[in-house]
Amino acid sequence: MSATRVEYHNVFNYISESLSSARSLNPFRLLSPIRFVVFIFNIFYILIQKIIIWMFKPRPPKYPEQPTKPLGRIAVIGAGLTGISSAAHAIAHGFDVVIFEQDDRVGGIWTHVNKTSGLQLNSLLYRFHPAVLWSCAFPLRDEILSEVTRIWKEYQLEPRTRFKTPVTSIRPITHDENGNRVSDDPKLDPSQYGHRRWIINDGDDGVFDAVIVTVGTCGKPRMVEFEGMPKKKEESKKHKEEHDMQKHDEASREPTDGGSSQGDEGIEPQKHSAWTTTHNGQAQYIRQDQEQKKATNFPTPGDAHHHEGTQAPTHTHTSEPHKSGSAYKATAWTFGTYEPPKSVEHDQEAKKEAGFPSPQEVFPTSPSADPQLHTNKPRPVKHDGFPHHARKSKDTDEDVFTKGPIVHSSELDSLDEDAVKGKTVLVIGSGASGVESVETALAKGAKGTVMIAREDKWIIPRNILIDTLISAQPFGRQMPLSFIWEKFIIWFNYHGVSDLAPAHLGLFEGTPVVNDEFLDHVRRGKCQYVRGDTQRLTKRGVKVTVRGRESKPGDKGDINEIDADIIVLATGYEKPKVDLFKYVDLFPEGFERPNLYLQNFSTEDWSVLMTNSSYQNAIGTVHIGIYTRILLVLLMDKNARPTTDDMKLWVRLISYIKRGARGGAFGFFTYMELTIWLLLFHIFRPDRLKWLFFIMQGWGVTPDEYR
């Protein structure tokens, strides 16, 4: 994207907004000084970026076959933003690269988020490559993907990308395919200032001098199964086959006391949990299911809840058998419950093997959260901003949610505006994806939104000055004076909704959400913020244990049912696995992610760089270019290399300095702390000082054939 085009785009948008405000007779927006200041800022922001590009952009190769004499070969795992940037830096400085991508396009996680998703850090700090040109301080998904694609093409990476090629194996050349050691060359020993060489998959792309793993920290969308969710068609079909087989087996045996479990032909069953009634519109099958439970000695719901000395099986934590003598057994997702029919147990085990987390793992609730388990009513909890359409839950048959779609936050864009317009959208989750889901729903015309927040998150403004100053905190942890920043953020960003600010989480203890619109939606009543634990879905919406600000997840609260037409699961993403390396342990105990050298290099071999794949929480970002250039220096200069002992010593030193930090020494960092690490990388080893300007600014090491 050219600077002229970006400037034209900004001017055009400003004029269009001004005309729209005039036509709608909105003088406050038309004459807003803030809007004018932002417009002027964006004009100068483009000029600043042009200076940065002129000073720091490395030369790209002119032709796809360059470099003709590469300084080394690097494998990049993942074609997301980090992978493309890493590969562009490497090839710009004379190294050949091959990118392995399991998808069919570049962009990584940004191809799986809503269009309202944007950078969680101002783009002046988050310049993933020096050639990037942003139109504003906080660009959104489409612009981010556009810039990633442009860099990918400009640096001749298109022919070097292997799409639909998942990496299943990375092995050192010191071992053959069967794991037998075939070489003891000291040049391949990291403890003697050497490094391993690597083979990816079956080795069709040759041997690589280093591997950059850029799988990130967000993989596939994390879907959570809540009780009360409708069953999928494929699950119902599979269960029907199991049920038909069960009927055949029982037909071949003599009937026992308690009745037959056979049902009529052609009834499509669904999977059940032990204590729920499945909403399938087929009363005959429900009666049949009840007969099955009776035949297997299930107690009735009344016996389960009211039997003397016995609590509801789905919530109890004891391992004592029921007094009736029924078998008591722990299933895949419960601490202990009466042994259900095989189909139920199979259903739970199948979901566990498929990677589904249990509701308790993602949204753990108090064992005493259900009023059915108590003789006394739950103590009242004060909570502000609770939706007007919430009601106290009644002990009735709640069934399953069938009013509308249930989607992951990454799928919200797939819903048509007609499907969302005029509806109430309920979002489970309060992180960045939850906040963006609220924005997306309202942009599609939702009547209102409700957010169920298990924990409060810090929300800081999209303000380039404030964000930069916060990220300049040098300690990378909560400090005694951190409350000053917290008070300022509450005053600046939480005015009118200060109850939403976290009570038990420090500003420098987790990644904050960067957003300007969400809190305003809450203030204007467009979003109802409910702090609590999700119990289950009901036919009307969601049953929630509502808690107060000073509470913690799992504490007691009021049980309420909240109406909804659409439910969005903002439950995040699975963390990608990195168990790709064979026959060598690169992450021994105590030095697993994120406890790595400079937080990104394996302590067992610096030729493995985990850029943005060990990240947990931060205010700031890993500098992709600097880390890539450190790797290039270590490949070019043997004297600059650390040994395995050196790298482990660094990890232990930082762990000692930051002992007691929430989440561990490397569980959180700031941009300034990262900068200090990188400067000390040179200062503690004077023999690296000659590479200072190359590593920090990218100056030097440009192939002559690029000029």
Side-chain angles (χ1 to χ4, degrees), residues 43-315:
I43 296 295
F44 283 98
Y45 188 59
I46 304 304
L47 298 177
I48 293 172
Q49 290 184 87
K50 286 297 293 182
I51 296 174
I52 293 175
I53 292 172
W54 176 73
M55 292 181 64
F56 301 109
K57 176 186 174 181
R59 290 178 181 269
K62 295 179 179 179
Y63 309 105
E65 54 272 11
Q66 294 177 340
T68 56
K69 296 180 180 180
L71 299 174
R73 301 187 75 239
I74 298 175
V76 179
I77 314 302
L81 181 151
T82 303
I84 297 303
S85 176
S86 300
H89 280 290
I91 198 171
H93 297 297
F95 287 78
D96 197 11
V97 297
V98 176
I99 304 172
F100 298 88
E101 170 57 46
Q102 64 179 357
D103 210 339
D104 59 356
R105 53 181 172 168
V106 300
I109 187 62
W110 288 103
T111 64
H112 300 288
V113 299
N114 297 312
K115 62 183 179 182
T116 57
S117 298
L119 292 181
Q120 292 296 299
L121 185 68
N122 73 75
S123 58
L124 193 61
L125 288 180
Y126 197 75
R127 297 186 54 78
F128 70 89
H129 190 275
V132 168
L133 181 63
W134 301 117
S135 65
C136 58
F138 292 91
L140 301 182
R141 180 200 66 185
D142 292 344
E143 183 177 351
I144 295 168
L145 288 175
S146 175
E147 285 298 281
V148 171
T149 303
R150 184 177 65 82
I151 299 298
W152 176 62
K153 292 180 178 180
E154 183 178 359
Y155 282 82
Q156 307 294 345
L157 299 176
E158 191 169 0
R160 292 175 166 83
T161 304
R162 310 289 185 262
F163 287 119
K164 290 190 173 296
T165 308
V167 175
T168 58
S169 171
I170 305 176
R171 64 178 175 89
I173 63 172
T174 54
H175 293 71
D176 61 19
E177 296 86 345
N178 299 318
N180 300 314
R181 191 173 186 87
V182 295
S183 175
D184 292 313
D185 188 344
K187 293 181 179 179
L188 306 177
D189 187 354
S191 65
Q192 300 184 40
Y193 296 99
H195 66 94
R196 297 178 176 90
R197 274 64 168 184
W198 305 95
I199 294 176
I200 309 297
N201 292 342
D202 54 10
D204 286 349
D205 287 288
V207 177
F208 294 94
D209 297 292
V211 178
I212 304 178
V213 181
T214 65
V215 296
T217 57
C218 296
K220 297 179 180 179
R222 190 181 191 186
M223 294 296 292
V224 178
E225 289 283 320
F226 285 103
E227 188 177 357
M229 294 176 68
K231 306 301 178 183
K232 297 180 181 179
K233 292 182 179 180
E234 55 268 25
E235 291 178 349
S236 299
K237 181 178 180 181
K238 183 177 180 181
H239 183 74
K240 174 175 169 51
E241 295 173 354
E242 296 171 353
H243 180 66
D244 290 342
M245 185 178 296
Q246 182 182 2
K247 289 197 299 179
H248 180 271
D249 293 341
E250 293 178 355
S252 64
R253 298 194 300 265
E254 290 294 327
T256 60
D257 292 339
S260 171
S261 61
Q262 295 184 8
D264 293 344
E265 294 290 333
I267 298 177
E268 180 174 313
Q270 296 184 2
K271 291 185 232 184
H272 306 283
S273 60
W275 308 111
T276 59
T277 302
T278 305
H279 179 73
N280 59 7
Q282 301 183 29
Q284 188 173 7
Y285 179 73
I286 295 175
R287 289 195 299 271
Q288 171 190 311
D289 179 59
Q290 292 172 343
E291 291 296 333
Q292 282 184 337
K293 292 177 179 176
K294 183 177 180 182
T296 53
N297 294 324
F298 269 96
T300 66
D303 291 337
H305 289 300
H306 303 297
H307 194 286
E308 182 180 358
T310 307
Q311 289 184 333
T314 52
H315 292 279

Side-chain angles (χ1 to χ4, degrees), residues 477-508:
R477 61 177 298 175
Q478 192 75 1
M479 299 296 289
L481 296 180
S482 296
F483 75 92
I484 297 176
W485 267 118
E486 294 170 1
K487 294 292 186 182
F488 174 79
I489 293 298
I490 292 175
W491 170 79
F492 186 87
N493 214 36
Y494 283 82
H495 51 88
V497 289
S498 59
D499 183 65
L500 274 59
H504 304 290
L505 179 69
L507 180 61
F508 297 96

Side-chain angles (χ1 to χ4, degrees), residues 84 546 566 702:
I84 297 303
V546 182
I566 299 172
T702 301

Side-chain angles (χ1 to χ4, degrees), residues 240-412:
K240 174 175 169 51
E241 295 173 354
E242 296 171 353
H243 180 66
D244 290 342
M245 185 178 296
Q246 182 182 2
K247 289 197 299 179
H248 180 271
D249 293 341
E250 293 178 355
S252 64
R253 298 194 300 265
E254 290 294 327
T256 60
D257 292 339
S260 171
S261 61
Q262 295 184 8
D264 293 344
E265 294 290 333
I267 298 177
E268 180 174 313
Q270 296 184 2
K271 291 185 232 184
H272 306 283
S273 60
W275 308 111
T276 59
T277 302
T278 305
H279 179 73
N280 59 7
Q282 301 183 29
Q284 188 173 7
Y285 179 73
I286 295 175
R287 289 195 299 271
Q288 171 190 311
D289 179 59
Q290 292 172 343
E291 291 296 333
Q292 282 184 337
K293 292 177 179 176
K294 183 177 180 182
T296 53
N297 294 324
F298 269 96
T300 66
D303 291 337
H305 289 300
H306 303 297
H307 194 286
E308 182 180 358
T310 307
Q311 289 184 333
T314 52
H315 292 279
T316 182
H317 288 243
T318 179
S319 59
E320 297 179 1
H322 188 271
K323 292 187 179 181
S324 65
S326 301
Y328 190 92
K329 181 177 180 179
T331 59
W333 285 357
T334 56
F335 291 100
T337 180
Y338 292 93
E339 183 174 1
K342 292 182 179 179
S343 59
V344 177
E345 181 180 347
H346 179 81
D347 177 41
Q348 293 181 338
E349 293 294 343
K351 287 175 180 174
K352 183 179 179 183
E353 291 176 2
F356 280 105
S358 68
Q360 290 86 351
E361 289 175 326
V362 182
F363 295 96
T365 58
S366 170
S368 58
D370 198 319
Q372 292 179 344
L373 308 185
H374 300 281
T375 56
N376 298 325
K377 295 181 179 180
R379 62 181 177 85
V381 178
K382 180 180 179 181
H383 50 275
D384 296 333
F386 189 73
H388 60 85
H389 50 279
R391 303 181 308 278
K392 288 295 181 72
S393 176
K394 298 180 181 180
D395 298 338
T396 60
D397 180 11
E398 294 162 309
D399 256 343
V400 300
F401 182 81
T402 56
K403 290 174 63 178
I406 301 173
V407 299
H408 188 267
S409 57
S410 62
E411 302 169 326
L412 188 54

